Amino acid sequence: MIEHAQSVAGAYDEISELYADHAGSAFAADPLHRAVVDVFADLVDSTGGGTVLDAGCGPGHISAHLARRGLAVVGVDLARAALGLARGACPSGGFVVGRLEKLPLVSGSVAGVLSSYSIIHTPPERLPGVLAQMVRVLAGGGHLLVSFQSDEDPAGPVEVFDHQVATAYRYGIDQVLEPLREAGMVEVARSVVAGREDARRGFAQAHLLCRKEQPST
Ligand SMILES: C[S@@+](CC[C@H](N)C(=O)[O-])C[C@H]1O[C@@H](n2cnc3c(N)ncnc32)[C@H](O)[C@@H]1O
């Protein structure tokens, strides 16, 4: 498991500047992605604000967007070079090396978690554990936004795809939602961008927004 993590980190570190340019411009040119991130930020604000975690933050362009929205941001990633770029892109953020499988944060300590395309290198057998970590660090009532390459069919099969950086998986929404429900989340909304909008691969892009249920009193 650690070996797999190190190979993903090494691969992203090698192309960190190139990836930062590509991902930063893709986010700037994608009004739908920005809109769901803004809805996430609005919900964090309207439920009392607080720190948000950018889980698998990469070069930090979304962390910087959230910080411009006035949120306090912490970012976690395996790739050290990407974290260096994230510190430059988002000077107010706190960026730490860590694995999604064992997030270096106290349980219930963040008001929101955003995972933008960071679960795509997680093999299916490890996905429930990674999602459970995101739920663990989230405070009750907090929101989680997970974005990933998907399939228009929510029950679509898990497919390995040939990502330029490291082996990647695309998941039907149900495969992400089910473990989240088991970990105590409820679905708030989903946005699925049609596959035909992805000129390169023809993959649907899913943005799944969930809320952590408050413990009953
Ligand atoms: C496709 S990039 C997405 C980066 C950024 N969130 C974005 O939207 O552009 C995937 C990121 O997740 C990180 N990542 C993948 N698996 C990880 C793991 N198990 N633990 C921590 N970070 C991970 C990678 O290092 C990489 O920075």
Side-chain angles (χ1 to χ4, degrees), residues 20-155:
D21 281 351
H22 158 77
S25 355
F27 182 65
D30 185 346
L32 279 164
H33 192 183
R34 287 202 314 282
V36 290
V37 170
D38 282 338
V39 168
F40 165 79
D42 284 347
L43 284 166
V44 171
D45 274 340
S46 68
T47 48
T51 300
V52 295
L53 167 67
D54 187 351
C57 59
H61 50 284
I62 301 186
S63 306
H65 184 83
L66 293 170
R68 284 193 293 274
R69 293 277 327 245
L71 293 172
V73 184
V74 291
V76 171
D77 203 288
L78 284 165
R80 287 171 193 273
L83 288 172
L85 295 173
R87 289 184 190 103
C90 180
S92 65
F95 293 96
V96 286
V97 180
R99 292 190 295 126
L100 299 177
E101 290 79 357
K102 196 176 178 192
L103 287 170
L105 291 169
V106 171
S107 300
S109 61
V110 293
V113 177
L114 175 140
S115 157
S116 170
Y117 298 96
S118 60
I119 62 166
I120 67 169
H121 301 296
T122 301
E125 68 279 9
R126 296 226 308 271
L127 187 63
V130 159
L131 295 169
Q133 281 288 301
M134 295 182 192
V135 178
R136 177 185 67 76
V137 300
L138 190 58
H143 288 86
L144 165 68
L145 175 64
V146 194
S147 302
F148 49 100
Q149 282 93 348
S150 191
D151 192 294
E152 278 163 35
D153 175 3

